[in-house]
Amino acid sequence: MPKKSAGLLMFRRSPDGHMQVLLVHPGGPIWAKRDVGAWTFPKGEYEESEDALEAAKREFVEETGFAVAEPFISLGSLKQPSGKMISIWAFESDCDPAALVSNEFEMEWPPKSGRKASFVEVDRAGWFSLSEAREKLSRGQVGFLEALADVVPDLSSSVDDEMRTADPET
């Protein structure tokens, strides 16, 4: 059975009316020098007995320290290249990425050293236009941006235009 992960996509409207999404960059030494294709939405794995949306809310707060706000809009689930299924919900809100406070995880570092080191799960966050987000996001998660455009109709015309500009093949 594939692993399951759930997360939240925070979006806002910029002063010029364009949609922006909040992305986070994974912490730790493995991700330290990666940028393009390395960013993600705050998310995490959950147990079969746990409600996916509740897990998504918990993971968002743990990884960012930012509050979540209803309503939550389901963007569905996408199977990742690794086989993991990710479910994402969107919500409209705002935050200051500089105020990010992330939980920590522990791993053996350097590899095969026998020593454990602690790292923040998320080392930074930022607001990105949809075209920027398409470049920064892990490829398996880009479909959530398109799903967001489909379910937020009052922004869809500017989102569709921006998405077409970012990817002329769509």
Side-chain angles (χ1 to χ4, degrees), residues 5-134:
S5 189
L8 296 180
L9 183 169
M10 182 188 284
F11 70 94
R12 71 178 183 184
R13 302 160 207 267
S14 67
D16 63 0
H18 291 285
M19 186 185 304
Q20 294 179 316
V21 294
L22 182 76
L23 300 181
V24 296
H25 186 272
I30 294 170
W31 297 98
K33 294 182 181 182
R34 297 181 186 178
D35 186 55
V36 172
W39 292 69
T40 186
F41 307 114
K43 64 181 175 6
E45 291 182 11
Y46 64 97
E47 298 296 322
E48 194 67 39
S49 61
E50 190 175 9
D51 178 76
L53 178 56
E54 291 304 313
K57 292 190 274 188
R58 179 195 70 236
E59 291 292 331
F60 187 92
V61 173
E62 286 179 359
E63 292 185 5
T64 67
F66 303 136
V68 299
E70 294 183 356
F72 297 103
I73 306 161
S74 175
L75 300 181
S77 300
L78 291 175
K79 186 175 184 178
Q80 300 302 289
S82 67
K84 181 187 284 187
M85 287 297 296
I86 298 179
S87 300
I88 297 288
W89 287 262
F91 71 104
E92 187 170 6
S93 193
D94 202 353
C95 67
D96 176 3
L100 176 84
V101 177
S102 180
N103 59 338
E104 293 186 352
F105 70 97
E106 195 173 80
M107 67 183 277
E108 182 179 14
W109 194 258
K112 300 181 182 179
S113 68
R115 295 190 319 236
K116 296 277 186 178
S118 291
F119 302 96
V120 291
E121 197 161 343
V122 169
D123 61 13
R124 62 190 181 274
W127 287 106
F128 296 93
S129 69
L130 293 176
S131 59
E132 292 169 325
R134 285 178 68 98

